[in-house]
Amino acid sequence: MTEPPSGTPAPTPTRVAGRTGAAGRVTWLSDYGVYLALGVLLSFNLVFTPNFATVANLRLQLVQVAPVAIVALGMVLVIGTGGIDLSVGSTMAIAAALLPLYLGYGPWPAIAVAVLAGAAVGLVNGGLVAYGIQPIVATLGLLVAGRGAALVLADGRLVEIFDPTLAAIGGGQVLGVPLPVLMALTVAAAAGFVLRRAAFGRRLLAVGGNRPAALLAGLPVRRTLVTVYVISGVLAAMAGVLTTGRQSASDPSFTGLLIELSAITAVVVGGTPLAGGRVRILGTLMGALLMQLIIATVIQHDLHDSTARMIQAAIIVAAVYAQRDRSGT
């Protein structure tokens, strides 16, 4: 190796190493920051929130987060393809509006109609995205139109529902575990299995990672996109059924309102990049739980619930910025 001329300062790798160290910290925060934030929030509540650690309160928090988690699990699959679904809240409202209209045929036919409606919304979303419409534009249209359709179906009224099956779905237990929580965990396990073991999961990640390359490789890109949005619509409808059953009322005006914000925040905070190509299921569940605990903490300390929304907005901006810094853009 040729030595540098006399008087030439030797290269110093300190600055490059510093950038590498900072990038490593950003990567760690992007991947695991949700667990750190959860730990801090739980510690705060254990010390400063009365009766937080009671079994009844913990059960309540898990039941309340279950619909958000189910919606977020559908959202994370959509975001894994590089898309987004803003219509999930409206899909929940449509499901809630349809339930009382078809309960006369029995609870299970009514639930089937609600879930099929969610699939139909997802089919429209997926078809538009698959054939060139930007996801944010396609799903924004159904965010507005879907909520309006739900209000038309319900004639703008809140309808009380007294059905034992729906009540059991929304608030029942299996071996002491709330049924909504079991449903969320089952959906998470199924999503994890599909992503790790099924060909569809590999196609999903390939489409999100590099869509032109996926097309050149002969992968069914359009079919994959449509399927992902249908799954998101079905899971949103299931969350609408859970919410309606737990509240014993169909209220399309408020069912699923702003849940898309919580779901997207849960996904991004959980470590899934908005650019697609990677999906973190456990991180998404922890992100949903973090959003729920933020809302619960704000309410239990007598702050306005809009404070929780502002905190969520700040978190998603910070998480997206961390992903931007991580990618070096």
Side-chain angles (χ1 to χ4, degrees), residues 189-222:
F193 176 83
V194 167
L195 287 169
R196 290 179 179 272
R197 303 294 183 184
F200 174 76
R202 293 190 289 272
R203 291 199 300 268
L204 185 156
L205 297 177
V207 170
N210 192 326
R211 189 178 299 183
L215 282 168
L216 290 174
L219 297 180
V221 172
R222 285 177 174 171

Side-chain angles (χ1 to χ4, degrees), residues 45-325:
N45 279 293
L46 287 172
V47 174
F48 296 106
T49 303
N51 302 317
F52 177 80
T54 62
V55 173
N57 180 64
L58 295 177
R59 185 189 301 273
L60 175 64
Q61 301 307 322
L62 290 175
V63 169
Q64 289 182 336
V65 79
V68 178
I70 291 172
V71 171
L73 288 167
M75 185 72 73
V76 75
L77 299 180
V78 171
I79 290 178
T81 66
I84 201 162
D85 188 353
L86 299 179
S87 67
V88 288
S90 296
T91 304
M92 288 180 64
I94 290 173
L98 287 171
L99 282 173
L101 297 179
Y102 289 90
L103 270 178
Y105 299 96
W108 293 111
I111 292 171
V113 169
V115 172
L116 285 173
V121 173
L123 185 62
V124 173
N125 283 331
L128 291 173
V129 172
Y131 286 91
I133 305 298
Q134 288 292 326
I136 194 169
V137 175
T139 60
L140 180 63
L142 279 169
L143 179 152
V144 178
R147 181 73 61 177
L151 291 171
V152 169
L153 288 170
D155 197 22
R157 296 180 294 109
L158 182 149
V159 180
E160 293 185 350
I161 297 176
F162 302 99
D163 184 84
T165 301
L166 281 177
I169 290 173
Q173 299 181 13
V174 177
L175 300 176
V177 181
L179 189 56
V181 176
L182 285 176
M183 292 178 65
L185 293 176
T186 301
V187 171
F193 176 83
V194 167
L195 287 169
R196 290 179 179 272
R197 303 294 183 184
F200 174 76
R202 293 190 289 272
R203 291 199 300 268
L204 185 156
L205 297 177
V207 170
N210 192 326
R211 189 178 299 183
L215 282 168
L216 290 174
L219 297 180
V221 172
R222 285 177 174 171
R223 189 171 69 205
T224 300
L225 289 171
V226 171
T227 303
V228 164
Y229 281 91
V230 168
I231 292 172
S232 179
V234 167
L235 292 180
M238 287 174 54
V241 172
L242 282 178
T243 301
T244 302
R246 186 168 62 86
Q247 296 176 345
S248 296
S250 169
D251 187 4
S253 297
F254 291 98
T255 298
L257 191 63
L258 296 180
I259 199 171
E260 56 275 356
L261 172 62
S262 297
I264 294 169
T265 309
V267 170
V268 176
V269 171
T272 298
L274 283 174
R278 193 160 64 98
V279 170
R280 296 178 68 91
I281 298 297
L282 182 59
T284 298
L285 287 178
M286 295 302 101
L289 184 58
L290 177 64
M291 295 304 102
Q292 173 59 33
L293 288 180
I294 289 173
I295 294 173
T297 302
V298 165
I299 292 174
Q300 290 175 2
H301 287 269
D302 296 326
L303 299 175
H304 197 277
D305 59 357
S306 60
T307 304
R309 299 299 179 187
M310 289 188 289
I311 293 172
Q312 289 178 345
I315 288 174
I316 194 170
V317 170
V320 172
Y321 182 82
Q323 290 178 2
R324 167 189 176 276
D325 193 47

